[in-house]
Amino acid sequence: MTTPAAAHAHPETSQTLDRGLRALEELAEAPAGLTVTELAERLGVNRTIVYRLLATLELHGLARRDTAGRARLSIGVLALARRVQPLLRDSAAVPLRRLAEEVGATAHLTVVDGTEALAVAVVEPTWTDYHVAYRVGSRHALDRGAAGRAITAYRDHGNTGFVVTEGELQSGAFGIAAPLVGVPGIEASVGVVSFGELDPGRTGPRVVRAALDVAAALR
């Protein structure tokens, strides 16, 4: 549960904006939605304030209330999220390039988009005879492939190490990925994919290091 509003007070911040942003954070953590009472308790404010916050968020398409009166995130949040993707690509460019050249495999940054894993940045090695062609915008289920499994392993068990998969998305393809750690609001992973078998002992630590470098660039 979020700490009461008084704990967030600061003379140079907007209390109303702070509450609105924390309301969005609470809704993001509650896929089934929250009642006005539940949200008021989490924010440490009265129901009247929550009604006003929700009305404002609804006006901007960031929240909605269903027929049962439960508040949820709305599709306007997706539009904002898509505008973050260029920032993610820029931050990942150098670490992904170094990873692709060191390993000789296609490197990628993948983020959670609903129930799917979405590739937002891809870098192919320049010196290999062949490599996997993996395009930006590619999607797959979160529970298949190294990129998605690294994210869910961190989400569910706090696993910050690398994940290895074989043939889950494409026959003969090997993947190694590690989660992005310590970047609030972003669930993502950095990984490599290759048609040649990858050595986890050599490649895994390099993938973890690249994930740490991307996370540092985003902080």
Side-chain angles (χ1 to χ4, degrees), residues 51-109:
Y51 277 117
R52 290 172 180 167
L53 290 175
L54 288 176
T56 302
L57 293 174
E58 287 176 312
L59 180 64
H60 292 277
L62 300 176
R64 62 182 176 84
R65 276 173 280 186
D66 60 24
T67 54
R70 298 183 72 83
R72 305 169 186 266
L73 293 182
S74 191
I75 58 174
V77 174
L78 294 178
L80 291 177
R82 292 189 187 99
R83 292 167 189 164
V84 175
Q85 291 182 17
L87 170 63
L88 294 177
R89 285 194 290 270
D90 290 345
S91 299
V94 172
L96 289 185
R97 170 55 61 195
R98 180 170 58 242
L99 179 62
E101 300 297 350
E102 287 180 350
V103 176
T106 300
H108 53 84
L109 172 67

Side-chain angles (χ1 to χ4, degrees), residues 10-11 30 106 123-124 135 140 148 175 214:
H10 189 283
T106 300
V123 175
E124 299 175 356
R135 65 180 180 81
H140 59 81
V214 174

Side-chain angles (χ1 to χ4, degrees), residues 21-32:
L21 293 173
R22 289 195 293 121
L24 288 175
E25 291 171 354
E26 294 292 351
L27 294 177
E29 295 295 325

Side-chain angles (χ1 to χ4, degrees), residues 8-197:
H8 292 259
H10 189 283
E12 295 182 357
T13 61
S14 165
Q15 184 182 61
T16 301
L17 180 57
D18 177 71
R19 287 170 172 169
L21 293 173
R22 289 195 293 121
L24 288 175
E25 291 171 354
E26 294 292 351
L27 294 177
E29 295 295 325
L34 296 171
T35 66
V36 169
T37 298
E38 289 170 338
L39 187 53
E41 290 175 351
R42 295 191 180 201
L43 295 178
V45 299
N46 63 49
R47 287 162 50 92
T48 300
I49 290 175
V50 170
Y51 277 117
R52 290 172 180 167
L53 290 175
L54 288 176
T56 302
L57 293 174
E58 287 176 312
L59 180 64
H60 292 277
L62 300 176
R64 62 182 176 84
R65 276 173 280 186
D66 60 24
T67 54
R70 298 183 72 83
R72 305 169 186 266
L73 293 182
S74 191
I75 58 174
V77 174
L78 294 178
L80 291 177
R82 292 189 187 99
R83 292 167 189 164
V84 175
Q85 291 182 17
L87 170 63
L88 294 177
R89 285 194 290 270
D90 290 345
S91 299
V94 172
L96 289 185
R97 170 55 61 195
R98 180 170 58 242
L99 179 62
E101 300 297 350
E102 287 180 350
V103 176
T106 300
H108 53 84
L109 172 67
T110 299
V111 302
V112 172
D113 187 18
T115 61
E116 296 180 310
L118 170 67
V120 296
V122 175
V123 175
E124 299 175 356
T126 60
W127 57 270
T128 55
D129 292 331
Y130 66 91
H131 51 262
V132 175
Y134 191 53
R135 65 180 180 81
V136 170
S138 295
R139 295 174 177 272
H140 59 81
L142 276 174
D143 62 352
R144 295 186 62 80
R149 288 190 182 277
I151 293 170
T152 57
Y154 177 61
R155 175 196 288 175
D156 297 338
H157 306 292
N159 179 15
T160 60
F162 60 87
V163 171
V164 182
T165 60
E166 177 183 351
E168 291 196 351
L169 297 177
Q170 188 170 353
S171 178
F174 294 82
I176 298 180
L180 231 60
V181 177
V183 184
I186 297 176
E187 287 188 296
S189 67
V190 168
V192 291
V193 59
S194 172
F195 282 129
E197 187 170 358

